[in-house]
Amino acid sequence: MSTILEKIAAIEAEMARTQKNKATAGHLGLLKARLAKLRRELITPKGGGGGTGEGFDVAKTGDARVGFVGFPSVGKSTLLSNLAGVYSEVAAYEFTTLTTVPGCIKYKGAKIQLLDLPGIIEGAKDGKGRGRQVIAVARTCSLIFLCLDVLKPLNHKKLIEHELEGFGLRLNKQPPNIYFKKKDKGGVNLNCMVPQSELDLDTVKTILSEYKIHNADVTLKYDATSDDLIDVIEGNRIYIPCIYILNKIDQISIEELDVIYKIPHCVPISAHHRWNFDDLLEKMWEYLKLARIYTKPKGQLPDYNSPIVLHSDHTTIEDFCNKLHRSIAKEFKYALVWGSSVKHQPQKVGLEHVLCDEDVVQIVKKV
């Protein structure tokens, strides 16, 4: 493992030494590709699967999963205890939490699992302080709460982002709009829909040759960087929404709080005094992008207490049927929908109809 770490350090040192200009773009692209390959080896070492180790991952329950990531002693455990009512050990020293502590809250009818992860430190992506296990659990979450201390400098945010990015997590970003397809022959074919400032055919060929790909179609639909291209080739990147939680606001002035509120993706709270939790939960709901669908049995009123919760990317009637039971879609005849997704109340729809939040659905089966 140390040899991989030494190689990574050597490449990072060479990248720091190299000037950035058009002449060195290809060389820098090659170094970035090598770095990405080494990082991938760190995440998934070659060879057979090792032992399972201590129980770090927790069984997935509920409709969504939210992970608390941050340096030690920023108030993650206090926040979990006060939000979910689960006891997670709290003390005035660092690394109080040593394994994942799960909790569950019900918000707007959806069950949301909260995970209090142990604090991560600088160098976590390289395996320091069990950081790899912590970030591996963070990869399975639907949303990340990045907990920061208001009194500590903002470079903590950069450090944690750097650790997570090194592990293939991309926070608050969309997947790159790049079309990439391997082929058997014909060389590298590059199409640019807009003028490129960084990538040209030679740079793309250099990066692809590092992955031993010599025949491929690449279409760049925006001004892309070499990092974006590497992300697409690697294909194991995970794009997760993230909310920055600035804790301990009881120790700063109102003027400072006004400045903090202007930072994007950011919610200031006080976990100890339970300040601003409603704002945090509202933002969490907005970032999770969940849709609640109510069921209506024939001849009865809709059941507003226990909605079926779907992710906003998968809200067709078919997804709704599969969430209820797999056999329903096979026996499906049509559905009656009340709500904002239809013109008429009720309206007959088929399996491909897309539902909106808080629609009411009645399913009619074949006889």
Side-chain angles (χ1 to χ4, degrees):
M1 196 63 79
S2 61
T3 53
I4 295 181
L5 291 179
E6 282 162 15
K7 282 179 190 170
I8 286 177
I11 290 175
E12 282 177 341
E14 190 176 344
M15 281 170 71
R17 279 201 309 269
T18 311
Q19 282 185 336
K20 281 186 181 174
N21 54 43
K22 278 192 176 174
T24 59
H27 180 58
L28 278 170
L30 181 69
L31 291 178
K32 282 178 182 170
R34 273 188 197 154
L35 199 58
K37 278 175 77 178
L38 290 169
R39 287 261 160 79
R40 188 181 61 209
E41 274 179 43
L42 260 186
I43 298 169
T44 51
K46 284 178 180 169
T52 49
E54 286 176 51
F56 223 78
D57 200 0
V58 179
K60 214 168 187 175
T61 59
D63 301 304
R65 193 178 209 188
V66 178
F68 294 27
V69 175
F71 280 115
S73 290
V74 293
K76 297 189 292 296
S77 299
T78 313
L79 181 58
L80 178 78
S81 304
N82 288 342
L83 267 179
V86 178
Y87 178 68
S88 179
E89 197 179 337
V90 178
Y93 54 86
E94 299 192 332
F95 295 107
T96 322
T97 310
L98 295 171
T99 57
T100 309
V101 180
C104 190
I105 57 168
K106 206 164 182 191
Y107 186 67
K108 293 191 178 180
K111 280 185 185 159
I112 293 161
Q113 186 183 33
L114 303 175
L115 297 183
D116 177 20
L117 300 169
I120 61 174
I121 51 174
E122 211 175 331
K125 64 178 185 296
D126 305 327
K128 277 189 192 168
R130 310 198 68 186
R132 298 235 305 280
Q133 290 100 314
V134 176
I135 303 178
V137 176
R139 277 174 76 101
T140 65
C141 296
S142 342
L143 170 70
I144 285 179
F145 279 173
L146 222 158
C147 303
L148 303 162
D149 191 334
V150 159
L151 303 171
K152 303 259 174 77
L154 257 178
N155 65 346
H156 278 197
K157 172 174 170 279
K158 284 202 184 80
L159 284 173
I160 292 184
E161 282 179 343
H162 183 63
E163 298 301 322
L164 295 175
E165 294 239 329
F167 214 78
L169 277 167
R170 300 286 177 265
L171 304 178
N172 291 329
K173 284 184 184 170
Q174 292 299 317
N177 194 1
I178 295 174
Y179 171 79
F180 168 73
K181 191 180 180 193
K182 289 186 199 173
K183 48 187 189 179
D184 296 332
K185 54 180 188 277
V188 174
N189 183 18
L190 177 67
N191 288 324
C192 302
M193 302 227 170
V194 292
Q196 299 291 319
S197 56
E198 187 176 327
L199 292 173
D200 54 15
L201 186 59
D202 292 339
T203 315
V204 170
K205 276 185 177 172
T206 312
I207 292 171
L208 289 173
S209 66
E210 181 58 33
Y211 286 95
K212 299 186 171 62
I213 299 170
H214 303 292
N215 303 296
D217 286 332
V218 181
T219 307
L220 306 173
K221 299 178 184 177
Y222 69 110
D223 188 5
T225 63
S226 49
D227 289 323
D228 295 339
L229 181 61
I230 290 166
D231 281 355
V232 171
I233 299 166
E234 282 278 346
N236 62 353
R237 305 296 187 237
I238 292 180
Y239 298 85
I240 299 184
C242 169
I243 296 175
Y244 303 106
I245 296 180
L246 291 175
N247 192 9
K248 308 186 185 177
I249 56 168
D250 49 317
Q251 300 173 17
I252 59 169
S253 67
I254 291 285
E255 289 78 23
E256 288 172 305
L257 193 56
D258 287 340
V259 174
I260 284 168
Y261 240 110
K262 291 173 184 156
I263 303 171
H265 313 298
C266 186
V267 180
I269 62 156
S270 171
H272 184 66
H273 296 285
R274 302 178 182 230
W275 292 351
N276 209 18
F277 276 14
D278 49 352
D279 199 13
L280 173 63
L281 290 170
E282 193 53 52
K283 198 140 193 157
M284 174 189 79
W285 182 260
E286 182 194 324
Y287 278 57
L288 281 173
K289 293 182 179 160
L290 298 175
R292 293 157 293 174
I293 313 296
Y294 302 111
T295 52
K296 181 187 178 303
K298 193 173 182 182
Q300 294 175 30
L301 288 170
D303 177 11
Y304 288 118
N305 294 326
S306 47
I308 304 293
V309 179
L310 304 171
H311 193 271
S312 60
D313 296 344
H314 307 285
T315 55
T316 61
I317 294 278
E318 192 170 2
D319 296 319
F320 173 74
C321 291
N322 290 337
K323 188 83 187 250
L324 285 171
H325 197 277
R326 246 173 258 158
S327 64
I328 292 179
K330 291 171 191 164
E331 301 168 9
F332 177 89
K333 189 176 180 187
Y334 64 88
L336 291 170
V337 177
W338 292 258
S340 55
S341 68
V342 288
K343 271 186 184 177
H344 313 291
Q345 313 292 336
Q347 186 170 323
K348 259 190 188 184
V349 296
L351 276 176
E352 55 283 342
H353 174 75
V354 178
L355 297 162
C356 292
D357 190 22
E358 298 202 276
D359 278 2
V360 175
V361 177
Q362 178 185 325
I363 288 172
V364 179
K365 291 181 178 179
K366 292 173 188 163
V367 181

